[in-house]
Amino acid sequence: MGGKTADQGGTRETERKFEAPDRLDLSDPGSAFGLGVGRHDEVELDATYYDTEDLRLARAGLTLRRRVGGDDAGWHLKLPVDADTREEIRRPLGQQTRPPEALVALTRVYTRGARLDPVAKLVTRRRRWGLVDPQGEELAELAEDRMHGIALHPSPGELNWRELEVELTGPAPAGLLDSIEQELRSYGARRSSAPSKLSRVLGDRLPARSGGSDEGKRRKLTSAQVVLGYVSEKVDVLRAHDPLVRLETPDAVHRMRVSARRVRSILQGYRRVLDREATRELVEDLRWLGGELAPARDAEVTSARFQEAVDALPPEVVLGPVSAELTRRFAREQAGGQRRAVAALDSDRYLLLQERLDALLSEPPTTGARSTSSSRDLSRAVRKAHRRTARRMETAAAAAPGHDRDGSLHEARKAAKRLRYVLEAAEPALGKKAKRLRKRVKGVQSILGDHHDAVVARPVLRELGGRARLDGANGFTFGVLHGLEQDRADRLEAEMVSAWERVTLPAKL
């Protein structure tokens, strides 16, 4: 487990918060955890939190604040990454009392242009200890916060409480947070039930977090509830990666694109559950978004693929500045793809897509007959997606080797993706059989994906080799890479046949 890390434009924080009884003594905090104390200080912090009138940021788990005091005064936007980790984007404090436009832009997917105003104030008296290992290396910071929270809108309210926070700050060993938490619990501390300090102040203005349900309960859900629950999760992922795409966070474009594809596949695969006509425009919008994100992702993947292949070659066959040429080529493509992706996120069509997603989840266009049993509707969708994939695999097997077969295998790959996502959505109701089948389909999809990558790589390598020759350089290495990609594609075709033979539908699904 790592500590605080910096990404382009932001800092990633890994921390846990605890509710602490007044009797908990912190006079010697380091010894309680088997660590030393390298520093200790006290600060007072004054933070004003900004949100829309209906708290769209807080509802999505984001916080935007203007903090005065301490060594990190300024504007802070915190984006959730996982249960213990948040991405924090900072901007200088300055004289302004309105949020900086650079941070406002990162919240656009949630605010949709609504005004951001102060909704709460938090005054914190903080005691901090730097926890160090025997060599004096700081691993974590323990903070005790005495909080005074003030709700500003729509009606004022005040609240006082004590909170402990443990944040990794250095190369912490695996399990350090767990061991510190275990020790704190022995003294009566408990993991905070509130997702953030702000949510505690806002109280019942925010919806309660829903608890997980066991498999038995989930099996009683209707087909529409199962499908929409899956879609809701993927919409959350899509929106969470909007600001990360803008910040050029590694893999953000890929995860956003996959989320859009998952939602689109479910809308197409469960047409007996969600009305086809009512979702047609949303399907087209999601296809458009995937297309706008594709250039940035494709350039990223192809660049890494080629560089890895070059690094694996014997030095004697790497002739000329091959790596430099790859960098020049794909840096331009990635930059252009990133600009295109952000332009799409800034467009009116993208905001309309978000409105349509809201409408899908708030007033789902379910078909009237699909409101009781989930298993039958979900099984039918799985079987239909399987038949569709099987037909495309048969078409590919019958196609002539070369361009025709490559194109047919690409279509089979897209069908396999839909089958995988249809199965993934159905797992809560269909259980282990669906899970096992989904894993086998994923294996087929991965092989077909690698095959497609090899197919699209060859013309690029041919172009690079030809350009090298025109520039008076040696294109030999690009020819070697071209041959390797051809060999790989041939091998993957053989692997695909045996992998698909294992994708058989259970008798009862």
Side-chain angles (χ1 to χ4, degrees), residues 53 152-156 205:
E53 185 176 8
L152 301 176
H153 183 78
S155 57
R205 290 197 62 200

Side-chain angles (χ1 to χ4, degrees), residues 466-482:
R467 183 173 298 278
R469 181 183 178 186
L470 292 174
D471 292 342
N474 194 321
F476 172 78
T477 303
F478 295 114
V480 171
L481 295 177
H482 186 283

Side-chain angles (χ1 to χ4, degrees), residues 218 221-236 266 361 425 428:
R218 298 188 76 176
L221 297 175
T222 67
S223 55
Q225 288 172 326
V226 172
V227 171
L228 289 167
Y230 179 87
V231 169
S232 179
E233 292 175 2
K234 302 314 168 189
V235 169
D236 286 346
I266 295 306
L361 297 173

Side-chain angles (χ1 to χ4, degrees), residues 299-300 302-311 313 318 320-334 457 460-461 463-465 477-478 481:
E300 178 185 20
T302 306
S303 175
R305 179 188 183 90
F306 287 175
Q307 190 57 60
E308 182 179 349
V310 170
D311 293 340
L313 291 175
V318 181
V322 176
S323 293
E325 180 57 32
L326 292 175
T327 299
R328 282 193 298 271
R329 163 67 182 269
F330 291 107
R332 290 193 301 269
E333 289 193 7
Q334 285 182 263
V460 177
L461 290 167
E463 177 193 336
L464 287 167
T477 303
F478 295 114
L481 295 177

Side-chain angles (χ1 to χ4, degrees), residues 10 12 22 25 61 204 242 263 276 303 313 316 330 344 357 399 408 421 426 430-431 463-464 474 478 480 491 497:
R12 186 156 291 188
D22 288 336
D25 181 15
D204 57 8
D242 174 297
V263 176
R276 177 199 303 250
S303 175
L313 291 175
E316 60 269 20
F330 291 107
L357 289 172
S408 296
Y421 300 146
L430 300 184
E463 177 193 336
L464 287 167
N474 194 321
F478 295 114
V480 171
R491 173 175 51 82
V497 173

Side-chain angles (χ1 to χ4, degrees), residues 174-229:
L176 179 62
L177 273 181
D178 291 335
S179 62
I180 291 178
E181 177 173 351
Q182 183 177 3
E183 191 66 25
L184 286 173
R185 290 178 66 88
S186 71
Y187 287 99
R190 294 293 181 266
R191 187 82 76 94
S192 177
S193 59
S196 67
K197 294 179 173 68
L198 176 62
S199 66
R200 188 188 294 268
V201 177
L202 296 175
D204 57 8
R205 290 197 62 200
L206 294 176
R209 290 185 292 178
S210 59
S213 57
D214 58 36
E215 185 174 339
K217 292 180 181 178
R218 298 188 76 176
R219 284 180 181 274
K220 298 177 182 178
L221 297 175
T222 67
S223 55
Q225 288 172 326
V226 172
V227 171
L228 289 167

